[in-house]
Amino acid sequence: PAWDEEAGEHGREPGGAPAGHLYDDPDALFGLGMVGQEENYWFDHGAAFNSRLSGAGLSQSQLIRSHERRLLPWSCTCRRRARGFARLQTDREREHRGLQRRLEVLAQKAARGDAYVVELSVATLAGNCLGTVPAGLGTTGADLRAQVAALARVPEREVSLIMSGNHAPLPDQTVLASSAAEVSALRDAPRPHLSMLRVQRRYVFAGLSTGTVGLWDADRAQRLDAADGHSKRVQCVAADFSARRGLSGSSDGTLKLWDLDNCSCVETLRDYTGDFNCVSMDWGTRRALGGLSNGALAIWDV
């Protein structure tokens, strides 16, 4: 059978069955192609059905080729949802594209001389210019930190910003400007408007008996983030701090892949019902080896 893993470009099954319905037609044809960088599955009820419908009398080979042009009325195509590491990368790229679009809109307004938008110059404490970031009414310290992290290509958690004329880091909740006069004052401030300080951290990724996982700053003994994910005790964890990703195994029989940028669960692997006692991860090959409570070893393609 074929299935619709994620809503994509699709038709309906005869009789109006909704997308996502499992197809079990002995005369059906299935195929796999590529749309950009993602796999795209297609389903068709077969040459006999389409011949009855259109009178075209297509052969199976003609029917398969026609899917490249998506001319057949009774067909279903679906894009396979990214899984595991691929999904983590896809989510980060989507978030980055969204940030870039917002920055472009603000930059265009600043270029037109919008009184409510200003371009802020950014430099390192050593004086190296990084570029500019736009800011408008309601822009917060957190917004600026995300923009500067993307500009400098460093983890957002490791970025601290210092406004011109100040000595303390800019708090995330601070609103830079709420009126045109305040925007004008920012525009006239001495350059660089922002100085970036990168605070490199040593991290600890830990799991608790409550099923919670957390990220800690080891040098400052400070918890940076935490998330509830497992329903039982977390027995084992692994982390790749350079790529900001983690893996946890639990007594609830699941492995979870985490994005350590925001401590969010990207993927849950559930193919085993039992306890994980330990896990070892090869981040290069994306394979995880788990030790299970029944004495077995399991290898996972993450």
Side-chain angles (χ1 to χ4, degrees):
W3 60 95
D4 185 359
E5 289 193 68
E6 182 173 306
E9 214 178 318
H10 59 271
R12 292 187 307 161
E13 186 187 13
H21 179 75
L22 280 176
Y23 295 92
D24 191 11
D25 185 340
D27 298 320
L29 303 172
F30 309 97
L32 171 63
M34 298 296 294
V35 176
Q37 298 297 317
E38 295 183 317
E39 293 177 339
N40 188 74
Y41 291 94
W42 59 264
F43 169 87
D44 193 276
H45 286 272
F49 181 86
N50 279 279
S51 296
R52 294 198 307 271
L53 188 68
S54 63
L58 299 178
S59 66
Q60 285 199 0
S61 59
Q62 291 171 327
L63 188 61
I64 291 172
R65 286 196 299 272
S66 68
H67 277 278
E68 297 177 0
R69 298 188 299 275
R70 299 179 182 175
L71 298 177
L72 297 174
W74 295 114
S75 65
C76 170
T77 62
C78 62
R79 185 167 297 176
R80 186 180 185 182
R81 184 174 67 88
R83 305 294 299 271
F85 285 113
R87 182 179 179 185
L88 173 60
Q89 186 63 29
T90 298
D91 290 347
R92 287 178 175 175
E93 290 174 354
R94 183 184 300 115
E95 183 178 346
H96 181 72
R97 288 195 301 269
L99 176 62
Q100 290 300 316
R101 285 194 293 269
R102 293 194 297 273
L103 294 182
E104 288 170 3
V105 171
L106 287 175
Q108 290 169 3
K109 289 182 178 180
R112 293 195 299 266
D114 193 314
Y116 296 99
V117 181
V118 60
E119 289 274 4
L120 301 178
S121 60
V122 185
T124 65
L125 289 181
N128 298 321
C129 182
L130 295 175
T132 61
V133 293
L137 296 181
T139 298
T140 64
D143 297 331
L144 284 179
R145 195 157 59 87
Q147 294 178 31
V148 172
L151 182 66
R153 297 184 180 276
V154 298
E156 188 177 332
R157 293 185 189 278
E158 298 183 358
V159 171
S160 290
L161 298 177
I162 300 174
M163 291 291 297
S164 176
N166 293 324
H167 301 287
L170 180 66
D172 283 351
Q173 66 273 18
T174 298
V175 177
L176 265 69
S178 55
S179 67
E182 292 178 346
V183 171
S184 179
L186 284 174
R187 188 179 291 111
D188 297 335
R191 291 176 176 267
H193 301 107
L194 292 169
S195 295
M196 187 198 82
L197 171 65
R198 182 178 181 182
V199 183
Q200 293 185 307
R201 305 174 185 267
R202 290 191 296 175
Y203 297 104
V204 173
F205 182 53
L208 309 179
S209 60
T210 57
T212 300
V213 297
L215 186 67
W216 297 74
D217 184 334
D219 293 324
R220 296 165 179 78
Q222 175 189 9
R223 190 175 74 176
L224 302 174
D225 213 339
D228 295 323
H230 294 285
S231 59
K232 295 183 180 180
R233 174 188 294 270
V234 179
Q235 298 280 50
C236 47
V237 295
D240 178 10
F241 295 122
S242 62
R244 308 182 305 284
R245 54 196 180 184
L247 191 72
S248 62
S250 169
S251 297
D252 62 9
T254 62
L255 282 175
K256 288 183 178 287
L257 177 65
W258 299 86
D259 183 351
L260 298 186
D261 277 344
N262 49 27
C263 218
S264 62
C265 180
V266 176
E267 194 72 59
T268 300
L269 307 177
R270 301 179 177 276
D271 291 345
Y272 174 76
T273 55
D275 297 349
F276 279 90
N277 291 333
C278 59
V279 66
S280 178
M281 184 71 199
D282 185 335
W283 300 100
T285 61
R286 302 180 177 183
R287 299 291 190 273
L289 181 65
L292 311 179
S293 58
N294 63 357
L297 290 174
I299 190 167
W300 301 76
D301 181 355
V302 183

